[in-house]
Amino acid sequence: MCRNKLRKCDPRPILHLLIYLLFIYATLLVIHTIFGRLFIGNHAVKIKRSATLPLRFNSQGTFKILQVADMHFANGVMSRCRDVLPFEFHYCTDLNTSDFFRRIVREERPDFIAFTVSQVNPVTYGYSDGEKKVREIDGFGNYNIEVSGAIGSELANMSILNLYFLDSGDRSTVPGIRGYGWIRETQQIWLRQISEMIKDKQRAGPAPDTHRPPSLAFFHIPIPEVRQLWFTKFVGQFQEGVACPTYNSGVLNTLINMGDVKAVFLGHDHTNDFCGELNGIWFCYGGGFGYHGYGKAGWHRRVRVILAELERGERNWKGVHRIKTWKRLDDGSLSKIDELVLWTNPLST
């Protein structure tokens, strides 16, 4: 720096000062990241980390999930809609998908949004949490999310609803087996381990004698047994064949033996939006959401809503009492259809 306005100032001292400050900042950041605390003299100074707040039921005792299946978003206004009525085609683009999403979020105000691919062309998959329990796990979108009880209740710091997410694959990569991929054995091992871990936490919690917390599962490609629902009293529309893997990897048996999964939510077959029950577990399609994915002309795009409700105690909220679902249509008024109770806690009063 210089004080003489007639002389050209040397910028190097300022540059050196900035480099020095950046070095100090980077050093503190590294120490914070690795050790989580600093030392001044002989005293440890703790640095408060950003709090990781859990998902939890709200003060009204509910937790709402929006399942968005098969958005198939591509190139915005440049992507024309598929399978719409002739008078809709000229102005229908990916922006109709965006508008539907905006309006349904505003209408339902969900606590959580579950995207059961395919959302973007090309498809991308999510984070895998499987390394915590299985050294190597197939897929890129396997994780679980625990939902805690309402603030102020004795279960406020306990998981009372669990959400499993599984990567159901794309196409088979096994020689000699054609068709779609499937949920692999390593994924099912991880799923069983997570289920047992949650069970152990519940036993050690403040209410060990209560009913085991329910779980919901989400994945894209249906399992082969979903085809059997054609012969049952399903709720909704069964309008196309179930596009599932030819190989049965035993997912249904895994879910049955785990005992905590009450419902599974699927995508993939855009013009199916039904729910049907297999061995005490409901399997529900979301129905096609996006306008760039295939559909059926005159059949509204739609979205599924899942609502978990708590049991009300004498003073505060208790565990999950009931789980129900319905669908909303993109018909101008967001019509609500096919409301259905999927599970009720047998111990609820």
Side-chain angles (χ1 to χ4, degrees), residues 41-81:
N42 296 322
H43 302 282
V45 179
K46 294 182 179 179
I47 299 176
K48 185 176 181 180
R49 297 176 182 270
S50 298
T52 303
L53 298 177
L55 286 176
R56 65 172 66 255
F57 281 76
N58 58 38
S59 59
Q60 285 74 46
T62 63
F63 186 82
K64 183 183 288 186
I65 301 170
L66 195 68
Q67 183 204 0
V68 178
D70 298 284
M71 181 179 278
H72 283 279
F73 199 88
N75 298 309
V77 72
M78 302 301 294
S79 299
R80 290 292 183 180
C81 299

Side-chain angles (χ1 to χ4, degrees), residues 55-334:
L55 286 176
R56 65 172 66 255
F57 281 76
N58 58 38
S59 59
Q60 285 74 46
T62 63
F63 186 82
K64 183 183 288 186
I65 301 170
L66 195 68
Q67 183 204 0
V68 178
D70 298 284
M71 181 179 278
H72 283 279
F73 199 88
N75 298 309
V77 72
M78 302 301 294
S79 299
R80 290 292 183 180
C81 299
R82 296 178 58 185
D83 300 322
V84 294
L85 296 173
F87 71 88
E88 298 174 314
F89 179 78
H90 297 290
Y91 60 85
C92 186
T93 69
D94 267 348
L95 300 186
N96 289 68
T97 301
S98 301
D99 182 64
F100 181 27
F101 183 78
R102 177 185 58 81
R103 288 185 292 107
I104 195 63
V105 169
R106 181 182 297 173
E107 175 71 22
E108 289 287 358
R109 302 182 63 83
D111 300 288
F112 184 83
I113 301 176
F115 293 93
T116 49
V117 293
S118 306
Q119 305 306 332
V120 181
N121 294 336
V123 176
T124 56
Y125 293 94
Y127 166 70
S128 173
D129 191 40
E131 296 84 358
K132 294 181 180 178
K133 288 293 177 176
V134 181
R135 181 166 296 178
E136 291 186 4
I137 179 173
D138 292 283
F140 299 97
N142 309 291
Y143 53 96
N144 74 290
I145 296 175
E146 299 178 24
V147 185
S148 300
I151 291 178
S153 71
E154 65 177 2
L155 300 176
N157 297 315
M158 289 293 298
S159 171
I160 60 173
L161 175 67
N162 194 56
L163 310 177
Y164 298 120
F165 295 84
L166 293 165
D167 182 356
S168 54
D170 187 5
R171 293 282 177 174
S172 171
T173 58
V174 178
I177 302 180
R178 297 183 177 182
Y180 291 107
W182 55 87
I183 297 171
R184 302 299 184 92
E185 178 60 27
T186 57
Q187 295 170 274
Q188 295 179 61
I189 292 172
W190 167 81
L191 197 60
R192 290 191 291 265
Q193 290 174 337
I194 293 295
S195 178
E196 286 299 315
M197 180 185 70
I198 294 171
K199 184 193 299 184
D200 292 341
K201 288 170 62 176
Q202 189 261 339
R203 289 170 178 166
D209 298 327
T210 58
H211 192 276
R212 184 179 179 185
S215 298
L216 306 174
F218 298 80
F219 50 86
H220 183 58
I221 299 176
I223 61 176
E225 288 89 346
V226 172
R227 294 175 296 187
Q228 301 171 15
L229 293 174
W230 175 258
F231 305 101
T232 68
K233 294 182 179 180
F234 55 83
V235 178
Q237 299 296 313
F238 198 143
Q239 300 185 115
E240 63 176 303
V242 175
C244 60
T246 58
Y247 176 75
N248 192 328
S249 62
V251 173
L252 180 59
N253 287 334
T254 293
L255 298 178
I256 293 171
N257 293 331
M258 285 165 55
D260 58 326
V261 176
K262 308 306 176 185
V264 176
F265 299 93
L266 311 163
H268 196 50
D269 303 324
H270 300 189
T271 60
N272 288 340
D273 72 348
F274 64 85
C275 286
E277 191 174 12
L278 289 170
N279 297 88
I281 301 174
W282 285 91
F283 287 80
C284 296
Y285 278 99
F289 184 93
Y291 282 89
H292 190 60
Y294 79 88
K296 183 179 179 182
W299 196 68
H300 298 291
R301 263 55 172 193
R302 57 204 59 214
V303 65
R304 181 169 292 281
V305 182
I306 304 127
L307 182 69
E309 300 173 304
L310 298 181
E311 179 182 1
R312 184 182 290 276
E314 293 182 2
R315 297 183 178 180
N316 51 40
W317 295 109
K318 301 170 71 175
V320 179
H321 164 60
R322 179 172 59 188
I323 300 172
K324 59 184 181 180
T325 185
W326 60 86
K327 298 186 293 284
R328 291 277 190 180
L329 308 182
D330 189 17
D331 60 355
S333 58
L334 297 176

